[in-house]
Amino acid sequence: MKLLLIEDDIMIGESLQKAMRSHAVYWATDASQAEDSLNRESYDTILLDLGLPKKSGLLFLQQLRESGNRTPVIIITAKDSIEARVKGLDAGADDYLLKPFSVEELEARLRAIARRKIEKHSNQIQINDVTLDNASFTLSTNANSHRLSNKEFAIMHTLMSSPGVIFSKSQLEERLYGWGDEVESNTVEVHVHHIRKKFSTTIIQTVRGIGYTFPEAPSQ
């Protein structure tokens, strides 16, 4: 997961970055740094300390939700009063974790958020500004939307289910056998061309000599 940690305690920040090497943890020490980072990047979850300098974590969270940002937020704080928890959850937090906590518990909370996100969007795969609707076979970006053919859908579903992973031509061909006709030698190239023509040349990247991939941060 790609995480934004907002924590002014250097010891805690360094410890979490070291302990959570299986994730991409980006660390901001105050609300201003976090806002700059959110303007440039999208994250799977935000880990938010309430006791931040200059602007409190609670005010940051309130303004984040007011701006329309729905990134899941786990508050990590030493404030253990019922009042503090209620304020945090009412401000838009998805979970509340008291310091000190174990990394194992934090990982469990992250998995729970990921499960809720998958259940909520079970009919869609959304990566940045690209959405694939599994029910209607519709692929949408900020610029346009098109219903895909069965084989185009099979290719996009394979690539978007594992963004950043490179699939060889033969691997993609295997996904097409289940859609009826026998796969011809240039089937993958033809359908990739059609998808790019409908959207952009960058929606699917060619890795020369290896295969195709859906970029984790596609540019339209």
Side-chain angles (χ1 to χ4, degrees):
M1 295 180 73
K2 188 176 179 182
L3 308 176
L4 176 59
L5 171 64
I6 312 173
E7 171 62 67
D8 65 319
D9 188 304
I10 303 300
M11 184 177 296
I12 293 175
E14 289 179 346
S15 298
L16 282 175
Q17 276 196 319
K18 289 179 181 178
M20 304 185 73
R21 292 180 184 271
S22 61
H23 304 282
V25 181
Y26 296 78
W27 178 20
T29 56
D30 59 39
S32 178
Q33 287 183 10
E35 288 162 354
D36 289 342
S37 186
L38 285 166
N39 286 333
R40 298 190 306 268
E41 305 281 347
S42 60
Y43 295 89
D44 295 307
T45 302
I46 296 171
L47 306 178
L48 176 64
D49 178 34
L50 292 181
L52 298 174
K54 301 177 184 177
K55 181 190 290 187
S56 72
L58 188 64
L59 179 57
F60 167 84
L61 176 57
Q62 290 170 335
Q63 293 176 344
L64 181 76
R65 295 307 189 218
E66 288 171 1
S67 72
N69 190 308
R70 293 293 174 258
T71 304
V73 174
I74 299 178
I75 289 176
I76 52 172
T77 182
K79 296 182 179 181
D80 61 353
S81 69
I82 298 297
E83 181 183 7
R85 297 188 198 195
V86 170
K87 284 184 177 179
L89 294 170
D90 283 347
D94 296 83
D95 206 341
Y96 198 104
L97 190 57
L98 290 176
K99 299 176 182 176
F101 55 83
S102 69
V103 173
E104 290 79 10
E105 183 177 5
L106 176 56
E107 291 280 11
R109 303 290 181 100
L110 289 170
R111 289 194 295 272
I113 282 179
R115 284 195 301 272
R116 290 198 295 269
K117 190 174 182 180
I118 290 171
E119 290 166 0
K120 184 177 180 181
H121 302 287
S122 58
N123 287 330
Q124 294 183 339
I125 301 175
Q126 182 171 356
I127 302 172
N128 297 304
D129 63 343
V130 183
T131 302
L132 181 66
D133 191 305
N134 298 330
S136 66
F137 283 26
T138 300
L139 186 66
S140 305
T141 68
N142 288 339
N144 54 29
S145 178
H146 293 280
R147 189 183 187 283
L148 303 180
S149 70
N150 287 351
K151 293 183 176 67
E152 289 169 353
F153 174 81
I155 290 173
M156 286 307 302
H157 188 274
T158 298
L159 296 177
M160 289 185 68
S161 294
S162 303
V165 174
I166 302 170
F167 289 85
S168 68
K169 177 184 171 182
S170 61
Q171 286 176 318
L172 290 176
E173 286 175 346
E174 290 174 3
R175 305 304 199 279
L176 302 182
Y177 276 112
W179 297 98
D181 300 334
E182 184 177 350
V183 178
E184 298 177 358
S185 60
N186 66 339
T187 295
V188 171
E189 289 93 335
V190 169
H191 291 300
V192 168
H193 171 74
H194 288 164
I195 294 167
R196 286 171 170 166
K197 190 174 181 180
K198 290 176 181 177
F199 295 92
S200 75
T201 57
T202 58
I203 197 163
I204 297 175
Q205 289 185 352
T206 299
V207 182
R208 190 176 298 276
I210 304 177
Y212 300 92
T213 184
F214 184 86
E216 293 182 275
S219 58
Q220 299 298 321

